Amino acid sequence: MRTDRRQILLGAGATLALTALPARALSGTADAAAEALIGRVAETFLADYPETATTLGIDKDKRAQLKHQLADRSIKGQRKIAQHLRQALADIAKLDVTSLSPTMRTHIDVIQACFTNSLDGFAFGYGDVAVGGWRNSPYAVVQNVGAFLDVPRMLDSDHQIATPEDGEAYLDRLESYAEQLDGETERLKLAAAKGVIAPDFLLDKCLKQIKLARGGNPAGWGLVTSVANRTPGMDGDFGERAWMLAKDKVGPALDRQIAELERHRARARPEAGVWKFNDGDAYYAWALRAGTTTTMTPQEVHQMGLDQLAKIQSEMDAILKKEGYSQGSVGARMEALAKDKRFAFPEGDPGRAEIMKFLNERITDIRSRMPQAFNTLVKGNVEVKRLPPEEEPGAPGAYGGAGSIDGTVPGKFWINLRTTSLHTRFSLPDLAYHESIPGHVWQGEYANRMPLIRSILAFNAYSEGWALYAEQLADELGVYAQNPAEKLGYLQSLGFRACRLVVDTGLHAKRWTRQQAIDWFVQANGSSVEEVSGEVDRYCSWPGQACGYKVGHSEINRLRARAQAALGNRYDFKAFNDAVVLGGNVPMTVLGHIVDRYIAERKA
């Protein structure tokens, strides 16, 4: 059964065969039946994950009740989600897929791939499975996983309050938040019984963060002030009622979760990788498959990282010499460049304000260049925001994503500003292109134009591969022409992702220690210890996820080279970019079929 599911995930099954063909007239009845089915699948998904409806801005009208709810994080709730996935796959199996149009075939393939892979993850019986997302983790709660991080951020940033009913929905979710904390706590107990306990250094981070969230007077918690500040003049005493819920329900639930995490900490060991679990090798194989949508082995991924790093650093070497840095390894010279005061931001709030201004200026510039890269344009609706301080210690340097489908909620570029030394003037432009335009926010707006289920489901290798390709597009559009040092930031970013292939597999398959991973990363790429330490901790809690970036990016470029070779003078830069982004978020092999169809259509 696992072999069959792998074939679906990787696009080897017969259901993908027609996606390589030019569009042609097929049975409208078959497409209509499939369209109705994927519509039902989408509504079931939203019922299981109501926060998704809020993020997409569709928790209104017939879906208004979803605004009052949160996903069920309990053991029972997770089993219910898995059952819904099995039912959806059973319903899809009844379709006459040979009669579907190529576009509808792609929609079906994407759902099958996502749900099949997620069921493989649920079968392990522990951890957090990201259905239609990227954050798979063997740990239900850790420094960058859990309701204590997700729910407060969602309520403050995504839950819109325009009416008293919206305020009531917020309070219902606040009460549910306490229940979800308890649900996760039960899952932590189940995991511990299986010997699945996070490394001691991750639990130390997590406990520090969750105690920070628990600390102080609940009246001052962001959970309380967020609704209080957005409901002045509304009947309902929302701030007062939120305070009561925080004090009487959320606080005690956090205390129970903290107590369970401390029991984990008493048993925790320093080993960083999942290899230490009884089924650790199988878990990592699944996580790597989920992260890359390939069947590459850990050794293949490890070697790919080493090979690509060498190629990237050869290009960096030439630029560094022109900048006056000619002695030592590329990594050592990049370390020296990062200490160059020309590229530093002031520490503290003045530096934070300068970073925000810098990023907004670069986003404005790159938006103006998009007509040079795409025939089909989107708005690029993005807001740069600082991560909540309680999240920053366990978070990466930045992340981003598209806003609501209707555009009322902008996409977010979250920047980690726990210290301004995380960022340099030569590295920030590239980060902006990755997270916002033409990266995650830009790509997400195309996804928001697709059938609802396709707007929801995402594959890490495509999402992150596209974001790296977006960095490449910025370079190809000439953003670094006047400042070669900034191109070093872009190339170091690519090298950084090549290093991830080496470090992720090193931790989880080659039994590297945390310190070994940090030392190798710093020396190889010239990144700061501060940055690398957080990154390595992230790979420990999200196995396989970090490998999707460079694998996805490499595959997009391989497909571009194939299109150029096949089309010759008919190849068009903007048309290819449109084909990749308009096809939506897909497994890598499905993307191959989309590009094959694009090639056939251009030839015709």
Side-chain angles (χ1 to χ4, degrees), residues 4 252 273 332 348 411 445 450 454 493 529:
D4 293 341
E445 289 186 21
M450 303 196 81
R454 294 293 314 280
S493 165
V529 173

Side-chain angles (χ1 to χ4, degrees), residues 1 13 37 50 66 154 262 309 311 350 418 423 462 466 503 534 558 581 588:
M1 189 65 179
L37 173 56
L66 296 176
M154 183 276 299
E262 287 180 332
L309 181 63
K311 182 178 179 181
R418 67 178 183 266
H423 309 289
Y462 179 94
W466 172 267
V503 174
R558 189 186 71 81
V581 79
M588 284 295 99

Side-chain angles (χ1 to χ4, degrees), residues 105-145:
R105 290 289 293 268
T106 298
H107 297 334
I108 293 298
D109 294 332
V110 167
I111 297 169
Q112 285 183 305
C114 178
F115 288 10
T116 300
N117 179 70
S118 295
L119 283 171
D120 281 351
F122 278 118
F124 288 99
Y126 55 80
D128 218 43
V129 178
V131 184
W134 46 268
R135 197 189 68 183
N136 295 299
S137 175
Y139 312 115
V141 183
V142 74
Q143 91 282 6
N144 50 13
V145 179

Side-chain angles (χ1 to χ4, degrees), residues 246-319:
K247 177 173 65 75
D248 296 339
K249 295 201 171 184
V250 175
L254 285 168
D255 289 337
R256 289 187 288 272
Q257 190 161 104
I258 289 169
E260 180 59 29
L261 288 167
E262 287 180 332
R263 283 190 284 271
H264 280 228
R265 180 61 183 85
R267 294 176 53 189
R269 296 174 56 83
E271 288 86 1
V274 296
W275 56 264
K276 63 182 179 289
F277 304 157
N278 291 334
D279 54 359
D281 289 343
Y283 183 89
Y284 186 55
W286 169 75
L288 198 60
R289 194 165 73 247
T292 67
T293 57
T294 73
T295 53
M296 291 179 72
T297 66
Q299 181 55 41
E300 289 170 337
V301 172
H302 194 85
Q303 190 60 48
M304 178 182 183
L306 293 171
D307 293 343
Q308 294 208 2
L309 181 63
K311 182 178 179 181
I312 293 162
Q313 290 192 339
S314 176
E315 188 174 355
M316 294 173 72
D317 176 62
I319 300 174

Side-chain angles (χ1 to χ4, degrees), residues 11 13-21 105 109 593:
T15 59
L16 292 175
L18 286 183
T19 60
L21 299 177
R105 290 289 293 268
D109 294 332
H593 292 294

Side-chain angles (χ1 to χ4, degrees), residues 494-549:
L494 293 184
F496 195 91
R497 274 50 180 235
C499 288
R500 282 177 167 174
L501 302 180
V502 179
V503 174
D504 196 277
T505 52
L507 288 164
H508 297 293
K510 294 181 176 294
R511 305 193 175 195
W512 285 14
T513 65
R514 176 180 186 264
Q515 193 59 51
Q516 185 179 356
I518 292 171
D519 291 345
W520 184 90
F521 210 143
V522 169
Q523 182 179 7
N525 202 50
S527 303
S528 69
V529 173
E530 173 80 19
E531 179 183 22
V532 164
S533 297
E535 283 287 319
V536 168
D537 289 351
R538 164 185 169 180
Y539 312 154
C540 295
S541 56
W542 299 345
Q545 189 271 342
C547 297
Y549 296 71

Side-chain angles (χ1 to χ4, degrees), residues 95-282:
L95 291 174
D96 178 11
V97 294
T98 60
S99 299
L100 297 177
S101 66
T103 298
M104 185 57 71
R105 290 289 293 268
T106 298
H107 297 334
I108 293 298
D109 294 332
V110 167
I111 297 169
Q112 285 183 305
C114 178
F115 288 10
T116 300
N117 179 70
S118 295
L119 283 171
D120 281 351
F122 278 118
F124 288 99
Y126 55 80
D128 218 43
V129 178
V131 184
W134 46 268
R135 197 189 68 183
N136 295 299
S137 175
Y139 312 115
V141 183
V142 74
Q143 91 282 6
N144 50 13
V145 179
F148 84 97
L149 296 169
D150 300 338
V151 175
R153 182 177 62 242
M154 183 276 299
L155 286 175
D156 184 55
S157 296
D158 298 332
H159 186 107
Q160 302 299 296
I161 300 179
T163 67
E165 179 63 20
D166 295 334
E168 294 294 340
Y170 185 106
L171 295 182
D172 285 344
R173 278 179 156 170
L174 188 54
E175 186 167 10
S176 178
Y177 172 39
E179 297 168 0
Q180 303 322 318
L181 287 166
D182 283 335
E184 286 179 336
T185 300
E186 289 304 307
R187 286 164 59 202
L188 284 171
K189 294 176 181 177
L190 181 66
K194 295 175 178 285
V196 177
I197 292 176
D200 52 12
F201 55 88
L202 294 189
L203 286 169
D204 287 340
K205 270 192 172 184
C206 179
L207 282 163
K208 182 178 179 180
Q209 291 168 247
I210 195 169
K211 287 176 180 178
L212 179 64
R214 175 66 177 95
N217 187 335
W221 289 359
L223 282 166
V224 176
T225 59
S226 179
V227 67
N229 292 339
R230 289 188 285 161
T231 55
M234 288 187 189
D235 292 334
D237 297 322
F238 293 105
E240 176 76 13
R241 290 161 65 196
W243 169 67
M244 294 292 289
L245 285 169
K247 177 173 65 75
D248 296 339
K249 295 201 171 184
V250 175
L254 285 168
D255 289 337
R256 289 187 288 272
Q257 190 161 104
I258 289 169
E260 180 59 29
L261 288 167
E262 287 180 332
R263 283 190 284 271
H264 280 228
R265 180 61 183 85
R267 294 176 53 189
R269 296 174 56 83
E271 288 86 1
V274 296
W275 56 264
K276 63 182 179 289
F277 304 157
N278 291 334
D279 54 359
D281 289 343

